[in-house]
Amino acid sequence: MSTGANTETADDRAETGKELNMSHRFEIPIEHSIIDDLAQHTISDIIDAIVELVTNADDSYTRKFIAQGKENQGGKIEVTVRRAQGNKATFLSVTDEAEGMSYDKVQQALHFAAKTSGFMQNKPVRGFWGRGLKETIAALGKGYIDTTFSQERTVAEVYRDDKDGKFYATLSRMKAPERSDGTEIRIEVSRDIDCPESETLQKRLIWHYAMRDIIKRREVVLYVDSQGGRGRSPKPYKAKIPLKPPELSGSLCLDKKLDTVFGEAQIQIWEAPEPLSFRKNDASSQAGIVIKTEGAALDISLFGLENEPGANYFYGEIFCPGIAQRVREDADGENLIDFNRRGLNWHDNRLVQEFESQVKEILRPLIEEKKTVISSVSLEKMKPLYKYINTFIYEELGDGGHSDDGNGGHSDDGISRLDSPMNSLTVYPPKARALPHMPRHFTLYLPAQLAPADPIIDIVINSSSPFTVEPSTLHLKPHQKEDDLLTGNFAVTGQQEGATALIVCTVRGFQGNPQYEASATITIGQPGHHEKRDTPPSRTGGFIQEIRYIPLKSFTQRAWVDEDKKVIYINSAFPGVASYIKPRPRPKSQMERVVVAMLVCEAICRYIAARKIERGLIGGDNSYYAYLAEFDRLLFKCSDIIHQYFIKYQKQ
C-alpha cells in the first residue's frame, strides 16, 4: 500500500479492481451540525489531523502483530501533505501496510459514536471511541478510505452534499487478489486549515506526545509538497522527511512506583541541562510529564506547576494502567478523557483532579530544588579577577585545568596540539609565560620506538636571571592514553618580571642527536598580562567566567569549581557563610568581601590540588598529605592577590 505522494482519485483506484460487487450511497446518520462541532473541536489544524490518522495506522499495526503473535515493532506509515500559498493545506494522505478493513468494518466505522477501535475489547490501542477518522475527514473536506483486507478492496467516499448540507458516504466493494492488506486515507482539504512549513511541521510532529512512541516503533515518513509561501514568485518544492524520535540529554532524577486513585503507576522524571519549551495545552511541548495508559498517550502536563521557575527543566512519563481499566469497566469512565480529545478531563472529573494533586506532590520538590539553583546571583564587573584566576589555573596545570572534546580542542596534557606523527623528543608548550614565583608546568613526549631501556631526561636552564627547575632529572613513563608515547612533567619557576630563559631537554646518553633533544622558552610577565597564544585554551573566553551565589541548604560544600559551567559557586545557605554574605550582585560590607575572597581562594586551590593528584603530578604514596600541602602552598600564592581584587572591587 506504500504510495509516497500518490494523489489519484477513488474512481481511478476503483477501476483497477476486479469483480465489482456493490456500490451504494447512504447518509451518515447524525445531525450535520453535531458533526461540524465535533470536527472543529477535534481537528483545529493539520497537526491534529495527521496525529489522528497516524494513530489509527499505528493501532492497526498493533492489532495485526498481536493477531500474528509477533512483537509490536516495525511497519511503515507514509504521510503526504500539500501546502498552498499562505501556509494552507490542500491535501493530506496517510498510508499503511497494516491489517486493512473489511467492507463491514468500514461501514461500521462511518457510524458516529460506535466503539470501533478495539480498545473496549481490551486491545492496547489508543482510539477510545473510534472517532478520529470521521472527525478528520469532516473537519478538512472530502475524504476517501481505500482499504484492502483479505484480497477484498473497499473504497469509501465521505463528503458533505452542498444541496442539503448533510454528510454522505458512498461505498464500493470489489475483489483485489493482487493487493496486499493496508489502508490509505486521502483527503481533499477544502476548509481553511493552517499548515506550517516543513521544518516546523516536522518539529511539532516529533514532539507531539501522542507521536513519540509511534515513531520509535514504526517507520514514519513525511512528504511535503509545497507550492510556496506568500511571496510574488513562490518556488514549489518537495521534501521527504523521515520522522525520528527527538533526542533529549538529561539525567534521571526520579524512577518509582506511585499509588494513585487509578491504582499503581510508574513515574519517571528526567532533568534537562537547559530549560525546555512548555505551554499549557500544547501537545508538542518539550517539557512536561506524558501521561500514558495501556496503548495510549493521553496528555502532557506539569500538573499546575508550569508557572514555577525551573518547572520547564523536567520531562518524563507516568504509566497508569488503571485509567484504561476505569474507562472499560466504569459507565462513567469515559468522562475521564476530554470528549474533544484534548487530554484528561482536568476541569470536570474529580478523580482526574485528585490524580493531578498526587503527581504534583511528587514533582513539586524537584522543581523547588531547581528553583533554588536557578535563583543564584552572579557577581558583577569581576572580569579582571576572572582573568587572574584563569592565569593562575593555567600556570599551575598547563591547560586551563580541563579537557576538551577532541575536535580541535585540548586534552589534559596538550597532546592534541603536537604534530603527528611525532618523530623526536618534544616539549610542550614550546613557548610559555608565567607569573613571578609561580611554577610553569611543561610536558615531555618521546616516541616509544626511539626510547632506550630507561629513558632519563636531563633538563638545563640557560638564563642570566634566576630560574629553578623541578625535577632537573626526569624519568619518562608510558603515556596513559597513547601506547606509542612516553611522557613526563616538570616545572620551571622564575623570580623576576621580564626575565626569559631557554629550557634544554636531552635524553641522557644521546647528546648531540637532534631526535633526542628539545627546547622551550619561558618569559616571566606581570599578573594578568600574557600573550594571546598562551591564554587559557577555551573557545568561550576562559576556564572561569563567573562567580555565583547559590543557596543549597542540604549541600555540604561551601565553595567549589564547576568545570562544565565554568563557574565558581559559593553556597550562600551554608552555615556560617549565610551570616556574612547575601545573594546580591555586589558584596557591600567589608566583611562580606573578605568572606567571598576567602571562599574563592578555597575553591580554586582545592580544584588545582585535586587535579594535580589525579594527574600524578603530586602525591605518590601520601596523596592525602600531598593534597593538603599543595592546597596550603596554592593558598599562600594566590590569597593576597585575590583579596586585593576585592579591595579594589569596593572602590569601583
Side-chain angles (χ1 to χ4, degrees):
M1 292 294 297
S2 179
T3 63
N6 191 353
T7 61
E8 61 182 327
T9 67
D11 292 337
D12 295 334
R13 300 293 293 270
E15 289 178 0
T16 65
K18 298 179 180 180
E19 301 181 22
L20 183 63
N21 291 334
M22 63 176 60
S23 177
H24 75 280
R25 177 178 183 263
F26 63 90
E27 179 185 350
I28 297 178
I30 192 170
E31 175 62 36
H32 65 84
S33 61
I34 298 178
I35 296 180
D36 287 343
D37 186 62
L38 287 173
Q40 295 303 320
H41 285 86
T42 303
I43 308 298
S44 59
D45 59 17
I46 202 68
I47 306 292
D48 290 337
I50 293 173
V51 171
E52 290 294 343
L53 298 182
V54 169
T55 298
N56 288 345
D58 176 65
D59 287 348
S60 184
Y61 276 116
T62 298
R63 291 187 294 264
K64 176 181 179 179
F65 292 143
I66 289 176
Q68 295 175 346
K70 296 181 179 179
E71 180 185 2
N72 187 21
Q73 192 76 24
K76 187 173 185 179
I77 302 173
E78 293 185 340
V79 180
T80 300
V81 177
R82 183 177 297 131
R83 298 171 64 250
Q85 295 186 32
N87 294 334
K88 300 300 179 182
T90 61
F91 175 83
L92 171 64
S93 74
V94 174
T95 304
D96 65 65
E97 298 171 348
E99 59 182 351
M101 291 185 286
S102 67
Y103 178 89
D104 292 338
K105 190 172 182 179
V106 174
Q107 192 170 29
Q108 182 186 15
L110 293 175
H111 287 75
F112 278 73
K115 296 173 180 175
T116 60
S117 72
F119 174 80
M120 299 305 292
Q121 288 76 44
N122 294 326
K123 294 181 180 179
V125 294
R126 172 184 180 253
F128 278 30
W129 302 286
R131 288 198 340 256
L133 176 59
K134 298 177 289 291
E135 283 86 352
T136 302
I137 295 175
L140 299 184
K142 183 178 183 180
Y144 302 91
I145 305 169
D146 193 343
T147 182
T148 301
F149 173 73
S150 190
Q151 297 185 346
E152 182 178 279
R153 179 185 178 193
T154 302
V155 179
E157 180 181 1
V158 181
Y159 58 95
R160 183 201 294 264
D161 192 312
D162 293 335
K163 295 180 179 179
D164 57 18
K166 296 180 180 180
F167 279 87
Y168 292 90
T170 300
L171 270 68
S172 301
R173 181 166 67 176
M174 65 210 74
K175 295 293 183 180
E178 77 288 356
R179 293 170 61 93
S180 58
D181 291 349
T183 300
E184 179 183 9
I185 309 298
R186 303 189 304 278
I187 303 175
E188 298 171 2
V189 181
S190 58
R191 298 199 176 183
D192 191 9
I193 299 293
D194 289 333
C195 180
E197 295 183 354
S198 56
E199 290 185 6
T200 303
L201 183 60
Q202 175 193 20
K203 183 177 179 181
R204 290 188 61 188
L205 284 174
I206 65 175
W207 282 105
H208 195 290
Y209 70 82
M211 290 283 290
R212 296 180 192 180
D213 286 342
I214 295 176
I215 59 181
K216 287 179 182 178
R217 59 178 173 256
R218 314 283 183 231
E219 179 188 355
V220 183
V221 180
L222 172 66
Y223 296 88
V224 180
D225 186 357
S226 178
Q227 297 178 18
R230 294 185 173 89
R232 293 183 177 181
S233 301
K235 296 182 179 180
Y237 67 93
K238 294 183 179 180
K240 177 182 178 182
I241 307 170
L243 299 184
K244 302 296 183 181
E247 296 183 1
L248 278 175
S249 58
S251 57
L252 182 66
C253 54
L254 183 69
D255 185 359
K256 63 178 293 184
K257 294 187 182 300
L258 176 66
D259 290 328
T260 74
V261 290
F262 301 117
E264 186 177 81
Q266 182 73 33
I267 185 170
Q268 292 181 319
I269 300 177
W270 284 264
E271 180 182 340
E274 301 293 337
L276 305 172
S277 64
F278 181 87
R279 290 189 303 171
K280 192 173 182 180
N281 300 322
D282 182 359
S284 296
S285 292
Q286 297 176 355
I289 311 303
V290 178
I291 303 155
K292 299 180 179 181
T293 190
E294 292 181 6
L298 302 174
D299 209 335
I300 186 168
S301 177
L302 280 171
F303 300 90
L305 299 172
E306 54 272 1
N307 294 323
E308 294 290 332
N312 58 344
Y313 282 83
F314 296 95
Y315 65 96
E317 62 182 50
I318 179 168
F319 179 68
C320 188
I323 297 178
Q325 185 177 357
R326 186 87 179 190
V327 171
R328 291 187 181 112
E329 296 178 355
D330 190 344
D332 296 327
E334 293 183 359
N335 189 41
L336 297 174
I337 314 299
D338 183 85
F339 185 64
N340 292 314
R341 288 184 178 239
R342 297 301 175 193
L344 292 175
N345 192 353
W346 303 101
H347 301 292
D348 301 322
N349 189 280
R350 177 187 58 81
L351 292 177
V352 174
Q353 293 169 353
E354 189 172 344
F355 176 74
E356 179 183 34
S357 298
Q358 291 173 326
V359 180
K360 181 186 293 185
E361 292 309 307
I362 297 295
L363 185 57
R364 189 192 300 275
L366 300 176
I367 295 177
E368 288 294 329
E369 182 178 354
K370 188 66 179 180
K371 188 192 304 184
T372 64
V373 171
I374 63 175
S375 65
S376 58
V377 178
S378 177
L379 297 185
E380 296 176 347
K381 297 181 179 180
M382 300 297 287
K383 288 185 178 180
L385 175 60
Y386 302 150
K387 191 174 184 179
Y388 167 75
I389 291 173
N390 285 328
T391 301
F392 183 60
I393 294 175
Y394 186 55
E395 298 298 340
E396 289 293 330
L397 295 177
D399 66 346
H402 67 295
S403 304
D404 212 325
D405 57 10
N407 297 318
H410 314 284
S411 64
D412 280 346
D413 53 15
I415 191 170
S416 62
R417 285 189 176 183
L418 300 171
D419 294 334
S420 180
M422 195 182 304
N423 55 16
S424 65
L425 181 68
T426 305
V427 60
Y428 175 81
K431 186 175 182 180
R433 296 181 67 88
L435 297 177
H437 308 288
M438 292 186 64
R440 179 63 167 95
H441 290 270
F442 293 82
T443 304
L444 278 167
Y445 303 95
L446 180 65
Q449 70 270 19
L450 297 179
D454 182 19
I456 300 175
I457 308 297
D458 293 318
I459 305 171
V460 177
I461 301 294
N462 295 324
S463 176
S464 58
S465 300
F467 281 85
T468 58
V469 58
E470 179 64 32
S472 60
T473 301
L474 181 63
H475 290 261
L476 298 183
K477 299 179 180 180
H479 194 280
Q480 294 182 354
K481 298 179 181 178
E482 302 293 332
D483 295 335
D484 60 344
L485 284 181
L486 301 178
T487 187
N489 296 279
F490 64 93
V492 176
T493 305
Q495 285 77 40
Q496 181 180 338
E497 289 184 14
T500 61
L502 176 66
I503 307 164
V504 180
C505 306
T506 307
V507 179
R508 184 175 295 179
F510 292 86
Q511 287 81 359
N513 189 328
Q515 283 190 299
Y516 293 91
E517 290 186 354
S519 63
T521 59
I522 182 171
T523 302
I524 306 303
Q526 296 179 358
H529 293 81
H530 41 267
E531 295 180 9
K532 183 177 181 181
R533 61 177 172 272
D534 201 30
T535 57
S538 170
R539 290 168 296 199
T540 53
F543 178 57
I544 296 299
Q545 299 179 8
E546 209 173 6
I547 298 173
R548 296 187 71 90
Y549 298 123
I550 182 171
L552 298 175
K553 294 181 180 179
S554 60
F555 197 63
T556 57
Q557 197 166 330
R558 62 182 187 173
W560 66 97
V561 171
D562 189 318
E563 291 186 36
D564 295 332
K565 294 184 173 62
K566 304 180 184 298
V567 172
I568 295 175
Y569 282 112
I570 296 175
N571 188 355
S572 58
F574 193 90
V577 175
S579 302
Y580 296 101
I581 67 174
K582 304 296 181 183
R584 52 195 173 196
R586 293 180 65 86
K588 293 185 177 181
S589 69
Q590 178 69 17
M591 180 59 71
E592 188 174 353
R593 283 186 286 273
V594 170
V595 172
V596 173
M598 177 184 66
L599 295 176
V600 168
C601 291
E602 175 184 314
I604 62 174
C605 292
R606 182 189 293 118
Y607 171 78
I608 294 172
R611 293 287 283 176
K612 287 189 174 183
I613 291 289
E614 292 172 3
R615 296 182 181 189
L617 300 178
I618 59 173
D621 297 331
N622 298 305
S623 295
Y624 174 71
Y625 295 104
Y627 169 83
L628 294 179
E630 182 67 7
F631 177 83
D632 289 339
R633 185 190 71 82
L634 294 168
L635 204 60
F636 181 82
K637 288 283 187 181
C638 72
S639 289
D640 184 61
I641 297 175
I642 289 178
H643 278 268
Q644 288 298 320
Y645 273 107
F646 277 93
I647 291 174
K648 295 178 182 178
Y649 191 40
Q650 177 184 6
K651 300 176 182 179
Q652 292 179 1

